[in-house]
Amino acid sequence: MSNPSPSPAPQVSPRIVVTEADFDLGAEAARLEAGSDTGAVVTFTGRVRDVSGGLRRMTIEHYPGMTEKALRTIAEEAAERWPLSGVTIVHRHGALSPGDRIMMVGTASRHRDAAFAAASFLMDYLKSRAPFWKKEETADGMGWVAAREADEAALDRWRDRDAD
Amino acid sequence: MKVRVLYFAWLRERIGLGREEVETSAETVADLVEELRAREERYAAAFADMGAVRCALDQELVPLETSLGDAREVAFFPPMTGG
């Protein structure tokens, strides 16, 4: 398919990793430091949180194929909005325990404002636009984590920005 | 036409399978849902509240009113909870 794009292709090639295994946060951050004009690297890590005190296990299901595409689309969108020299999304699936790392996003730019904003954008979008589903196992049984309205509403602040 | 239909999370559990090939004459995703609902109770149960169901056509999120066109893969799942 060769649809003409309304905006030029982003300079940066996003790093997208979907994996069952844990990842090396330090190595991912170091990878974003490439380039002598990269003045800012921001990373965010999400971990399995035991809210109720009774969480035994979390299992993350995903949609192989669509997951990678959706994450790449989100990362490319970030790279079009901010001047990034690097963008990384790593997301795990499968069985996880409380305290385990679930995912990370990383952004690199000349200045911190762009890196922070892009990382925040990536998080907001991947929460409700990437096909992952969390299931929790507690002493009371198993249950799917419900999507939060606040997560969907969080996308509005980026849409509002479009109208500026 | 024949489409591959995928189910994820609690839709997969309620229907009892993750994927199947479906012969359909549906024009839209919503029409396909109607066909599936009419099949068996487990489908009717899974698709009881369409406000809680999202859909992807060839791995792109789309509204339920979208035409199936020549899509090869249709997926149904609850709102996503990544991150």
Side-chain angles (χ1 to χ4, degrees), chain A residues 136-152:
Chain A
E136 290 181 340
E137 182 184 340
T138 67
D140 298 333
M142 311 270 278
W144 292 97
V145 174
R148 296 166 59 231
E149 275 181 35
D151 288 338
E152 189 63 32

Side-chain angles (χ1 to χ4, degrees), chain A residues 86-158:
Chain A
V87 52
T88 297
I89 304 177
V90 182
H91 205 301
R92 296 179 67 190
H93 60 94
L96 302 173
S97 299
D100 281 354
R101 281 186 281 263
I102 301 174
M103 52 76 63
M104 66 158 288
V105 300
T107 54
S109 188
R110 286 189 181 185
H111 302 293
R112 70 177 186 277
D113 287 357
F116 271 121
S120 189
F121 171 92
L122 292 175
M123 282 310 304
D124 282 348
Y125 270 82
L126 79 81
K127 269 202 167 298
S128 43
R129 289 293 182 274
F132 290 100
W133 302 276
K134 294 187 182 117
K135 191 177 193 180
E136 290 181 340
E137 182 184 340
T138 67
D140 298 333
M142 311 270 278
W144 292 97
V145 174
R148 296 166 59 231
E149 275 181 35
D151 288 338
E152 189 63 32
L155 302 185
D156 289 342
R157 65 179 171 134
W158 305 109

Side-chain angles (χ1 to χ4, degrees), chain A residues 12-14 32 38 84-88 106-109:
Chain A
V12 55
S13 173
L32 288 163
T38 295
L84 303 180
S85 55
V87 52
T88 297
T107 54
S109 188

Side-chain angles (χ1 to χ4, degrees), chain B residues 7-61:
Chain B
Y7 310 101
F8 291 96
W10 55 257
L11 275 125
R12 172 178 54 73
E13 292 177 341
R14 280 182 203 175
I15 292 168
L17 49 87
R19 61 170 58 203
E20 61 182 326
E21 298 290 324
V22 173
E23 185 66 43
T24 178
S25 55
E27 283 191 13
T28 67
V29 177
D31 294 342
L32 175 62
V33 170
E34 283 311 312
E35 285 186 6
L36 293 169
R37 261 192 196 136
R39 278 177 153 192
E40 285 177 53
E41 179 51 35
R42 58 194 169 117
Y43 290 93
F47 292 116
D49 174 13
M50 290 310 289
V53 176
R54 301 290 178 269
C55 169
L57 217 52
D58 285 337
Q59 307 189 348
E60 296 273 348
L61 272 180

